[in-house]
Amino acid sequence: MSKKVLLGLGIAAVAAVTIGSFGATVLTAKPADTAKRASNGCTLDRRPVSTTVMLVDFTDAPTAANISQLERIFRDLRQSIPKDGKAIVALLDVAAESNLSMALQVCNPGAKNGDFAPRPGPSVQDQRWLQNYYRPFDEALKAAKTSPTSSDRSPIMEAITSLTQRADFDGVIANRKLIVVSDGLQLTPKVYSQFKGGDLWKSFEKSRLPAMTQADLTNVEVTFVYLLRPEYAQRQTEAHRAFLRRWFESRGARSLVFRGIREEGS
């Protein structure tokens, strides 16, 4: 038998071993991303696979520690959104009709080597990911650091309710998450205030606020980044956090985790 024939048989044998050991998929090129996308990276023909909304409440001016917390949260959020998942950052803004101003609305189109690339390359896919997804987070962080302040209003629950009415946060999206960065102290003038003391939940039920805050948080995972403010230490108590937990649960939230504090019993 000639050397050429033997060489051909050897190559075929190696190919057979390769296919048998690792599966034929190793020989198949990764399909190109052909989805039609808007300028923010979101697909035009289907819903996002997940939506994560972050509400930043700096109606009381943030401290240096608050800013550091926010920077870490932004970094974690940017790296956690899966391909074709959506990230939304809203700022609590009492001057806006919905109590919100939008800082970020992007979808992750995916980098060449995964959802997130710490060192993106020159490929078209990576550059699109940088332009449509990665860099907008930096601009949103700048906006969040200078969120509008307010001395007489903090409509946190109304803002959350407005967010749940968005089409891209609808219950048909299976994976929904809400991150709230706030001191949690609700103040709606002439309606309800958590600065008066007393039984927070009873006062809430007697007010008009329950009807104003019918947020749909069914099956939503909620993370509450609890901004401690020394001047309100007598308000930010276990009773206050129990109120927040009860409100989120009453609106259907699957879970609620507080960050930034150590809860009793933990």
Side-chain angles (χ1 to χ4, degrees):
M1 188 177 292
S2 70
K3 290 183 178 180
K4 288 185 178 181
V5 173
L6 287 171
L7 180 62
L9 290 174
I11 293 172
V14 170
V17 170
T18 302
I19 295 172
S21 300
F22 302 101
T25 54
V26 298
L27 303 179
T28 303
K30 185 178 179 181
D33 181 3
T34 57
K36 294 182 178 179
R37 297 181 183 275
S39 59
N40 65 350
C42 296
T43 56
L44 296 173
D45 56 349
R46 60 181 182 269
R47 293 179 182 271
V49 298
S50 68
T51 300
T52 301
V53 174
M54 180 161 70
L55 172 65
V56 179
D57 167 23
F58 280 172
T59 47
D60 282 316
T63 65
N66 297 154
I67 294 297
S68 294
Q69 283 178 291
L70 190 68
E71 289 172 344
R72 290 195 300 271
I73 295 161
F74 261 80
R75 182 192 62 227
D76 293 345
L77 178 62
R78 177 159 54 187
Q79 296 185 24
S80 68
I81 302 300
K83 186 175 185 298
D84 291 329
K86 188 164 190 176
I88 299 168
V89 176
L91 313 179
L92 189 61
D93 184 354
V94 300
E97 184 177 352
S98 63
N99 297 303
L100 298 167
S101 60
M102 307 309 298
L104 181 75
Q105 300 182 66
V106 296
C107 293
N108 185 355
K112 186 175 181 181
N113 294 317
D115 295 351
F116 186 85
R119 292 186 178 85
S123 70
V124 172
Q125 186 172 344
D126 279 359
Q127 292 307 304
R128 180 181 63 191
W129 177 79
L130 273 172
Q131 183 68 29
N132 297 344
Y133 179 75
Y134 189 94
R135 288 175 181 151
F137 272 88
D138 295 331
E139 296 304 313
L141 177 58
K142 291 178 184 177
K145 288 179 178 180
T146 56
S147 294
T149 58
S150 171
S151 60
D152 60 357
R153 286 188 66 202
S154 189
I156 303 164
M157 289 187 282
E158 294 96 318
I160 292 172
T161 300
S162 294
L163 287 169
T164 66
Q165 294 168 350
R166 295 175 57 94
D168 51 9
F169 200 62
D170 189 87
V172 299
I173 298 172
N175 299 307
R176 295 186 297 161
K177 296 180 180 180
L178 172 67
I179 303 168
V180 181
V181 183
S182 172
D183 59 22
L185 292 165
Q186 175 78 25
L187 173 57
T188 304
K190 299 181 180 180
V191 177
Y192 177 77
S193 172
Q194 293 187 338
F195 292 87
K196 294 181 178 180
D199 189 308
L200 297 177
W201 191 260
K202 286 183 179 180
S203 298
F204 170 70
E205 287 188 313
K206 290 178 181 178
S207 74
R208 292 185 287 112
L209 197 57
M212 298 165 57
T213 58
Q214 291 295 325
D216 179 11
L217 292 167
T218 305
N219 290 325
V220 174
E221 296 178 17
V222 181
T223 299
F224 203 109
V225 183
Y226 199 70
L227 302 180
L228 293 173
R229 303 198 184 279
E231 67 272 30
Y232 299 138
Q234 75 278 18
R235 306 294 182 200
Q236 291 184 300
T237 61
E238 284 296 325
H240 178 238
R241 292 187 284 278
F243 170 90
L244 292 173
R245 187 175 295 282
R246 186 170 181 179
W247 185 78
F248 280 108
E249 289 177 351
S250 72
R251 270 48 183 172
R254 178 192 305 171
S255 60
L256 171 62
V257 175
F258 286 104
R259 283 178 57 181
I261 59 165
R262 181 179 176 84
E263 292 189 81
E264 286 186 2
S266 62

